Structures are given as structure tokens and as C-alpha cells.
Amino acid sequence: MTDLSIFTTAVHAGERVPRGEFTPVATPIYPSVGYLYDDMETLDAVFAGTRQGPVYARYGNPTNAALEAAVAALEGGEAALSYGSGMAAIHGALLAAGVRAGTAVVAARDVYGATYALLSKLLASQGVTVHFVDATDLDAVEAALAAARPVALLVETISNPLLKVADLPRLAELAHVAGASLIVDNTFATPYLCRPLAHGADYVVHSATKYLAGHGDVLGGVVVTSAGRRAALNEINKLVGGNLGPQEAWLILRGIKTLPLRVERQCASALQVARWLAGHPRVSRVNYPGLPEHPQHELASRLLERGGFGAMISFELKNGNRAAVFRFMEALKLILPATTLGDVYSLVLYPAMSSHRGLDPEERRRIGIGDGLVRLSIGIEDPAEIIADLEQALISHSP
Ligand SMILES: Cc1ncc(COP(=O)(O)O)c(C=O)c1O
């Protein structure tokens, strides 16, 4: 499937694994926990891994295997493992990269709030040393890697919520020179815009809850990597059991079929919305990699494929604070104030209250997440109607 375009791959990858006399066109949902084989020798071989097949749901499942094959094909990776959430996937990748007591991790400072808290609170409490850096400052990254000698460098291709773009080829070089694995959260970019493995990443993680599934009705995560590392991820997961259920795997696999169509349209609409916001008198700043004034616009143009820059935008309300943001969000009629992103619906979120609530206000300010920052996820609706909704809400938010 790797030679086909992403539109074709998204529709067919992972499907139609022959099983017996007929082959279902769409992979069925396998709710079975256990699996039978003709004889004990075969079952033993499946347990040993010398023969492929399901044996127990925590070890793998045919519906999940179809999803994993699809995401691996889209990301250009050898293999993938699905998880019950994006956070479980990130945790799995960190553990597989060797994170444990006495080791260090270097991470981008403006990662998703729960990722930041996983590193700075949970893993730190377990004896992991965590260093946050501005991942757009390659000298700072190099210095942090040299000082910490970490087992992993973790970045987001396009960061949540400040929309900074990571120079993946250079970061991969720096990580590897320092002996670290590069883990890339590709949730915002999706494989439509970027395939981090081709740029040297060792693990690509997704919150499949977002663009991969795309419809706001399922929680899931995926790690894409080499076949060898996938085996290591699965050995860890057999112990911790962060599995994605087969119903959810099926929904994500179904969502993936329209991923390129959705993201193509969402990117085009987001560019229109970002340009419009940038000219609005009640907006003091717009973070969107597709705008020429974005600090990594040139890098984004090189790194991101198909002329797109993503469908996430963040912006500062002029003289914005919590009350002004609340007024603005309550005034929106079409754009939904729901705590998620990447869906067919346009969504708005207040990072200080939700995605980055786990950080104390001082930490948030240091990262650059101010009290007037709003995050938008552009859906597949008519962009003119998205803009009209923003316009009426911006007018009514003003004091
Ligand atoms: C960039 C990014 N990575 C990871 C996650 C975590 O994903 P999940 O909510 O599926 O656990 C999120 C959630 O918003 C996210 O935005």
C-alpha cells in the first residue's frame, strides 16, 4: 500500500485480511476475548510469536490489527500498536524508549497539558528527570540533550496550543547524536501533512481521538514505529493493558477512510479563518503556521506536505482575560465549546481552563499560554459560516 496516494491508502489499508472461505469488505468488529486454534502446537506457536494470530484480547485483536496496519501504512511505518487513549500511547512510547527511574527525558515546553503533567508530575515522581525546552530553539535543544543525556526527546509536529512547528529532521539528528529516541506526537499534523518517521523519528504517536477518528465519538491512541519496537511496545502493554476496545478500533478505522478528504478541506478553511482573524481589530495575535508572519512559516512550508498548514488556530483576544474569553465563547452559536479537537465540527477551547488547566498559572505564562488565548479547531462546515459565527461573537464579546 505504500506506493499509493494517501487518499487510496486511507480507504483500503488494513482491510480484507483473508480469513477462510470469504473475505468481508469492511473488517468486522471482533469482540471475542479468546481465540481457538486446531491444535495446541499452533496455540503454542502463537504464544511464542513464531506464528501470527490473536490469542487473548489484551495481546491483540483482529479489528485492532486492521486499524494498526492502516495507521502504519499512512505514516509509512512498519507497524503500529493501538491504545485506549492518546495519553496511553504517549506513555507506552516513553516506556518503550527506555524511560524509567534514573533516566531523563527532554520535551518541548509547549506540549499538550496532560503530556506536560505526565512528564513533570507523574514520571518525575517516579524518578525520571524531565527537562523542558523551547523545541524551536535548536541550540537550546542541543544543550539540553548534551546536559541530560536523555533516553527520549519528545515533541509535537505542530504544538498544542501555540502552533509552533518542530524541525523534525534536525531534531532527529540532535536526538540520535545524543543517543536518545525521538518521539513525535503527530496528532495536529496528521499523516496527511507530515510523516515524522521519514524525517528520522523513532516513534510517532497519535491521539486517534482527534483527526484519525474525526467524528468526536471515540477515544483512542496509536504508536507507529519499527516492527522490532512494536514488539517491545506490545510486551509492555501486555503487562499494563492500555488496550483500545475493538468497537473503538473499528470506529477509528472507519473515520480514517475520510481523513485526507477532511483534513484537505479543514486546512483550506483554517487558512481562510486565520487570515480573517489576523485582520480583525479585536484580535491581537494569531498563531497559525500558514500565515507568513508565523515564526516557523518557512519551516512549515518545507516540512508540511500538500500545501496545508493544519486546521488548528490559536489567537489572543485584544485585552483578553478569562471574563472576555468566556463572553466570546458563550456568544458562539455554531462553533462548539467542547474539550476536544480534530472533529468534523468546529470547536473552540480555552487552554487556561481545560487543556492546560493542570499547569499552574505561572508555568502557563512561562510557556506563553496567556489568559486571553483561545484555541480553534476548524471543522468541515462552510468556512464563510464559521467566519460569520466568529464575527458575531467577537462583536458581542467586547465590553
Ligand atoms: C496533541 C495531543 N496529544 C495527545 C493528546 C491526548 O489524547 P487523548 O485525549 O486521546 O488521551 C491530546 C488531547 O487533546 C492532544 O491534543
Side-chain angles (χ1 to χ4, degrees), residues 84-88 90 112 114-115 156 158 160 185 187-188 206-210 219-221 340-341 355 375:
S85 71
M87 288 314 302
I90 292 171
Y112 169 55
T115 307
E156 295 172 355
I158 304 176
N160 180 2
D185 183 333
T187 301
F188 273 31
H206 277 277
S207 168
T209 317
K210 314 297 194 263
L219 189 76
T340 187
L341 65 99
S355 63
R375 194 190 76 188

Side-chain angles (χ1 to χ4, degrees), residues 259-307:
L259 173 79
L261 289 174
R262 285 184 279 112
V263 177
E264 182 179 48
R265 177 176 173 87
Q266 286 167 293
C267 288
S269 297
L271 182 59
Q272 274 188 53
V273 173
R275 283 182 178 147
W276 179 83
L277 281 170
H280 200 284
R282 298 215 166 100
V283 172
S284 59
R285 179 190 170 87
V286 178
N287 302 312
Y288 184 67
L291 296 178
E293 58 269 30
H294 185 282
Q296 288 100 43
H297 177 64
E298 189 272 325
L299 166 65
S301 308
R302 267 189 290 123
L303 187 74
L304 305 178
E305 295 174 48
R306 301 183 177 85

Side-chain angles (χ1 to χ4, degrees), residues 178-342:
S181 295
L182 178 62
I183 302 174
V184 178
D185 183 333
N186 202 34
T187 301
F188 273 31
T190 83
Y192 178 83
L193 292 178
C194 184
R195 304 205 301 175
L197 295 172
H199 298 294
D202 301 291
Y203 300 86
V204 174
V205 298
H206 277 277
S207 168
T209 317
K210 314 297 194 263
Y211 290 98
L212 296 185
H215 294 71
D217 50 13
V218 59
L219 189 76
V222 183
V223 180
V224 188
T225 186
S226 66
R229 290 194 189 99
R230 196 267 185 203
L233 283 165
N234 203 33
E235 285 310 307
I236 294 169
N237 192 59
K238 280 159 74 174
L239 303 179
V240 298
N243 298 67
L244 181 71
Q247 317 269 347
E248 286 79 5
W250 187 86
L251 271 174
I252 299 167
L253 181 61
R254 182 180 165 126
I256 280 174
K257 300 192 186 310
T258 56
L259 173 79
L261 289 174
R262 285 184 279 112
V263 177
E264 182 179 48
R265 177 176 173 87
Q266 286 167 293
C267 288
S269 297
L271 182 59
Q272 274 188 53
V273 173
R275 283 182 178 147
W276 179 83
L277 281 170
H280 200 284
R282 298 215 166 100
V283 172
S284 59
R285 179 190 170 87
V286 178
N287 302 312
Y288 184 67
L291 296 178
E293 58 269 30
H294 185 282
Q296 288 100 43
H297 177 64
E298 189 272 325
L299 166 65
S301 308
R302 267 189 290 123
L303 187 74
L304 305 178
E305 295 174 48
R306 301 183 177 85
F309 293 95
M312 299 299 301
I313 302 169
S314 62
F315 64 95
E316 298 272 353
L317 286 182
K318 194 168 270 174
N319 304 320
N321 54 24
R322 179 185 160 98
V325 172
F326 278 20
R327 268 200 308 281
F328 165 72
M329 286 177 63
E330 285 168 1
L332 289 165
K333 294 186 167 77
L334 176 72
I335 302 171
L336 305 172
T339 307
T340 187
L341 65 99

